[in-house]
Amino acid sequence: MIEWLERRFRVSERGSSLGREVTAGCTTFLAMAYIALVNPAILADAGMDFGAVFVATCLAAAVGTLVMGLAANYPVALAPGMGQNAFFAYTVVLASGQTWQAALGMVFVSGVLFVALSVLPVRAWLMDAMPRGLKAGTAAGIGLFLAFIALRNAGIVVASPATLVELGDLTTFPALAAIAGFCLIAALSVRQIPGALVIGMLAVAAVAWLTGEADFHGVASMPPSPAPVLLALDISAALSLTAMTIVLAMLLVDVFDTLGTLVAVGARGRLVDAEGRLPRLRRALLADSTATVFGSLVGTSSTTSYIESAAGVESGGRTGLTAVVVAALFLACLWLAPLAQSVPGFASAAALLFVACLMARSFGDLEWDDALQAVPGVTTAICIPLSFSIADGIGIGFITSAAIHLFSGRMRECSVAVYAVAVIFAVKFALLA
């Protein structure tokens, strides 16, 4: 078995060892295990069954990560994406009035389109289709969006008839617990302790259980039934004009989030070639896109590559064996559903707020001296949380980018893809005004 693993994943050739790959897999899992608790909590706000989504989350993460490890031989783990799940629940379902079944259908269609793009020889076009400023602005804007959701769920920010929002009562237990949990997670991260997010959430939850502020349902049991969300997607509802603009937004976020993560993790793990390109990129994109399709079938939002994979790379992971270990650990998570259901919303809010801070680092990728890049990026980042819609924020960013290039007489510096997407969103805004 050891010899087969060495040959299959080329462990020694990549300058690694079996023990290092296993350690890296455990490190990556601890860095992203919070998604097994947070994703069901977010999608439950859209009316989906918590236990069934918990199963779907673990299955989507396990299958997507396994395919990535076996097909592409990259130490990259996948799971339902933060930001994509918020878009699914708060924009598509709660704000737009779509059913969660229709939203799953849109995830399926976007995944199928992503598969097609991965197969077709347009990967170089994909890398250049979205301006750098919009990529950075989208990531930062999603971070701000998650921060707003976290603050709202903890009662730190509340609605106001005079100013739209205002500071809530910080003396309540949920608010104090979320703030304390956030500070604990940040402190653990500063000390580079693996699993800081999970430790912080469970610490807050433990205090809530001991004080009677939350109910404890146990640690382990047989996995919940996936039936409430399994194959519940409504594909026909994803084919209207309104739905197709949502599908486009899902596709754009998934594609560029995946490409950005693969390039970043590949560079940190020295997995790129002399020209900075990723070998086997088609396989990696196919693994990610098929994971999104599979995730929609089992009942969760878009599945994507996780930047937390960099934690495993820093621990020495260099091959797909790292990903296989992560997949096995997500399968083992299926038996921890009672523990996941016992974690209160304000504990998840602490983790969400910290993830938001990490995503906001993308502001640093903006070229502030270049208004063609910085202005559309900042506009996107501002409009995503204030419109409470990732899709609308991205659309406004594309329109802004196209308009600035056009009016400044530098229209040839902007790709045809940007103009095309801008027109699509402009038509969408006009028809739905």
Side-chain angles (χ1 to χ4, degrees):
M1 176 63 71
I2 293 176
E3 291 179 358
W4 181 84
L5 290 173
E6 284 276 0
R7 292 194 307 270
R8 177 65 180 78
F9 295 102
R10 301 180 179 180
V11 176
S12 298
E13 181 182 321
R14 299 273 181 89
S16 185
S17 65
L18 294 181
R20 194 177 299 165
E21 294 293 307
V22 172
T23 300
C26 294
T27 301
T28 295
F29 174 77
L30 287 174
M32 61 183 291
Y34 67 89
I35 194 62
L37 307 177
V38 175
N39 192 57
I42 290 177
L43 297 193
D45 289 343
M48 301 178 72
D49 181 82
F50 183 100
V53 175
F54 173 81
V55 172
T57 301
C58 293
L59 288 177
V63 172
T65 304
L66 185 63
V67 173
M68 178 67 78
L70 294 177
N73 199 18
Y74 280 131
V76 176
L78 291 82
M82 292 299 298
Q84 286 97 319
N85 49 15
F87 177 45
F88 182 105
Y90 302 114
T91 297
V92 180
V93 177
L94 296 180
S96 299
Q98 301 282 350
T99 65
W100 60 262
Q101 292 89 342
L104 285 178
M106 296 173 201
V107 173
F108 176 83
V109 174
S110 71
V112 171
L113 292 175
F114 193 3
V115 170
L117 291 175
S118 302
V119 173
L120 296 173
V122 293
R123 290 179 295 281
W125 178 84
L126 283 176
M127 293 291 284
D128 299 327
M130 194 173 189
R132 297 186 304 277
L134 283 182
K135 293 177 186 177
T138 298
I142 292 174
L144 296 178
F145 189 35
L146 291 176
F148 183 74
I149 293 170
L151 294 173
R152 187 195 66 173
N153 289 350
I156 297 173
V157 169
V158 297
S160 168
T163 59
L164 296 182
V165 294
E166 64 182 7
L167 194 65
D169 184 359
L170 299 185
T171 63
T172 64
F173 185 88
L176 290 173
I179 294 171
F182 169 72
C183 294
L184 175 60
I185 291 171
L188 293 175
S189 297
V190 169
R191 296 176 66 88
Q192 298 183 338
I193 295 178
L197 281 161
V198 177
I199 294 172
M201 279 194 297
L202 292 180
V204 172
V207 174
W209 299 331
L210 293 174
T211 57
E213 295 289 340
D215 297 325
F216 179 68
H217 303 291
V219 176
S221 70
M222 290 297 293
S225 170
V229 299
L230 182 66
L231 299 177
L233 65 168
D234 183 357
I235 298 176
S236 62
L239 302 178
S240 65
L241 176 61
T242 302
M244 288 310 296
T245 58
I246 295 174
V247 169
L248 177 62
M250 287 181 173
L251 177 63
L252 289 172
V253 172
D254 199 5
V255 167
F256 294 110
D257 184 45
T258 297
L259 288 171
T261 299
L262 289 174
V263 170
V265 174
R268 294 182 73 168
R270 298 178 182 176
L271 304 175
V272 296
D273 60 21
E275 298 180 5
R277 296 176 302 188
L278 278 169
R280 304 181 306 283
L281 177 60
R282 183 176 67 87
R283 295 184 185 181
L285 292 177
L286 274 173
D288 198 293
S289 55
T290 53
T292 291
V293 173
F294 176 79
S296 68
L297 296 174
V298 296
T300 186
S301 51
S302 300
T303 303
T304 188
S305 301
Y306 260 59
I307 193 63
E308 284 84 352
S309 302
V313 170
E314 293 292 339
S315 298
R318 293 294 183 271
T319 76
L321 183 56
T322 294
V324 172
V325 172
V326 176
L329 292 173
F330 267 113
L331 285 178
C333 257
L334 286 169
W335 280 264
L336 299 179
L339 180 62
Q341 290 177 305
S342 300
V343 176
F346 48 83
S348 300
L352 272 181
L353 190 56
F354 185 75
V355 171
C357 293
L358 298 181
M359 297 185 71
R361 292 185 300 186
S362 295
F363 277 123
D365 296 330
L366 287 173
E367 298 178 23
W368 294 101
D369 294 331
D370 184 0
L372 286 174
Q373 297 294 332
V375 173
V378 173
T379 301
T380 302
I382 292 173
C383 289
I384 285 176
L386 295 185
S387 67
F388 213 75
S389 170
I390 296 172
D392 289 346
I394 292 174
I396 292 172
F398 269 97
I399 293 172
T400 302
S401 182
I404 293 175
H405 279 86
L406 184 63
F407 297 150
S408 64
R410 299 170 66 176
M411 59 182 299
R412 292 186 179 180
E413 297 180 22
C414 187
S415 70
V416 175
V418 172
Y419 290 117
V421 174
V423 169
I424 292 172
F425 274 106
V427 171
K428 183 249 189 184
F429 292 144
L431 292 178
L432 298 181

